[in-house]
Amino acid sequence: HTLNTLTTRYLYCTYTVLYCSVVYCTSYPEIHTSYGTYLLTTTMGADNVVPPTYLRGFDRKRGLVAQVFVLMTIGFFVGLIPGRHLKPAPSYCPEDEPNCARPELFAFEFVCGSVFLWQSFVSIRSWHIRRSPQKHFPQNPIGRVFGYSAESEMMAAVSLSFQFWDLVATPWIPEFSSAIMLGHHFCAALVSFIALQYQFYHYYVVFFFALTEVSSFPLVLLSLSKYYPPIPGSFRATIADVAVPLFAI
């Protein structure tokens, strides 16, 4: 009952934020739409004019979305190979299966870890080194909400593909098929689609769609050590020990 209550509140709050965001973005008086393009202007001077851009980002990036989905599927089946040789913890095995194997747990984390590594590299380079959001967007609310960035568009496309893949894959793995996990993937995929298709929040995409996943890679290592307990003193045990402070940081 407690879990259901928390799940309901989580989904309700998330849907409310999404609804308010879409209503705000689609009703803002300074948006002018014509023949699939729109020009965003402000009254704060020429330096604050957001360049005209094109809607329907999903139509332009559907090839990338499909390619990432296929690559992740291939990565999952590749991850099944080493996963067969790892002994899972007893809590993840039925009691009547002495030779239990759970390669799908490793394969799933392998896919997630690969995506998190890519997102971490791209976002750190963009946010901290190139400082692309700070340079390419007008530093006012209109620019940050409605501005365009090809880099952010790519990240939104990858995020959409990743979250949709998670939404398809998690129902087949009992540990990941809870209502709150499925709701999380659905909401994240929806936000990614809105950012991609309608060019919303490109300024924030770099941070919230990618940079936040820097801490997710150590979490993958911790999850693997939970699913497949390492031998004390082994290399895998050392990696798990290092992952704890990295995730906390």
Side-chain angles (χ1 to χ4, degrees):
H1 179 269
T2 303
L3 178 60
N4 291 336
T5 302
L6 291 175
T7 302
T8 302
R9 291 178 179 176
Y10 172 81
L11 295 178
Y12 176 79
C13 293
T14 305
Y15 292 149
T16 302
V17 171
L18 287 175
Y19 175 79
C20 294
S21 299
V22 173
V23 169
Y24 169 76
C25 292
T26 55
S27 62
Y28 204 90
E30 294 183 17
I31 305 301
H32 309 280
T33 305
S34 175
Y35 302 104
T37 67
Y38 62 88
L39 175 63
L40 306 171
T41 61
T42 70
T43 59
M44 299 174 65
D47 293 337
N48 294 315
V49 174
V50 180
T53 54
Y54 295 90
L55 293 172
R56 302 185 181 277
F58 178 77
D59 295 343
R60 296 196 304 275
K61 293 296 184 179
R62 65 175 60 186
L64 176 60
V65 172
Q67 291 171 12
V68 173
F69 189 92
V70 171
L71 285 175
M72 288 187 294
T73 304
I74 295 174
F76 181 83
F77 286 104
V78 171
L80 291 175
I81 299 174
R84 294 192 181 97
H85 303 286
L86 296 174
K87 183 176 178 57
S91 57
Y92 296 98
C93 285
E95 296 180 359
D96 56 348
E97 292 187 20
N99 297 321
C100 170
R102 296 294 306 276
E104 71 276 11
L105 295 175
F106 179 85
F108 182 83
E109 296 294 345
F110 173 74
V111 172
C112 293
S114 300
V115 176
F116 294 154
L117 275 179
W118 179 86
Q119 290 176 320
S120 300
F121 170 77
V122 174
S123 61
I124 290 175
R125 182 187 62 180
S126 175
W127 190 269
H128 291 293
I129 300 176
R130 294 180 176 178
R131 302 185 64 83
S132 299
Q134 292 84 347
K135 294 179 181 178
H136 296 164
F137 290 90
Q139 296 304 304
N140 57 67
I142 299 296
R144 286 192 285 267
V145 173
F146 299 108
Y148 172 80
S149 167
E151 190 175 47
S152 296
E153 188 178 57
M154 176 189 65
M155 292 183 187
V158 173
S159 177
L160 172 61
S161 183
F162 176 55
Q163 296 298 337
F164 182 72
W165 186 89
D166 275 347
L167 192 61
V168 173
T170 49
W172 302 97
I173 306 176
E175 287 77 9
F176 307 134
S177 59
S178 63
I180 194 168
M181 288 300 297
L182 294 175
H184 163 73
H185 294 314
F186 173 79
C187 294
L190 181 60
V191 172
S192 300
F193 177 79
I194 291 174
L196 176 62
Q197 178 72 349
Y198 301 109
Q199 192 190 310
F200 291 153
Y201 309 117
H202 277 204
Y203 175 87
Y204 301 100
V205 161
V206 176
F207 187 91
F208 289 103
F209 283 10
L211 191 61
T212 55
E213 303 297 359
V214 171
S215 64
S216 296
F217 184 74
L219 185 60
V220 167
L221 300 178
L222 291 175
S223 298
L224 289 175
S225 66
K226 180 178 67 173
Y227 302 144
Y228 310 99
I231 300 174
S234 64
F235 179 69
R236 286 180 51 218
T238 303
I239 293 179
D241 293 337
V242 173
V244 174
L246 288 179
F247 174 70
I249 294 173

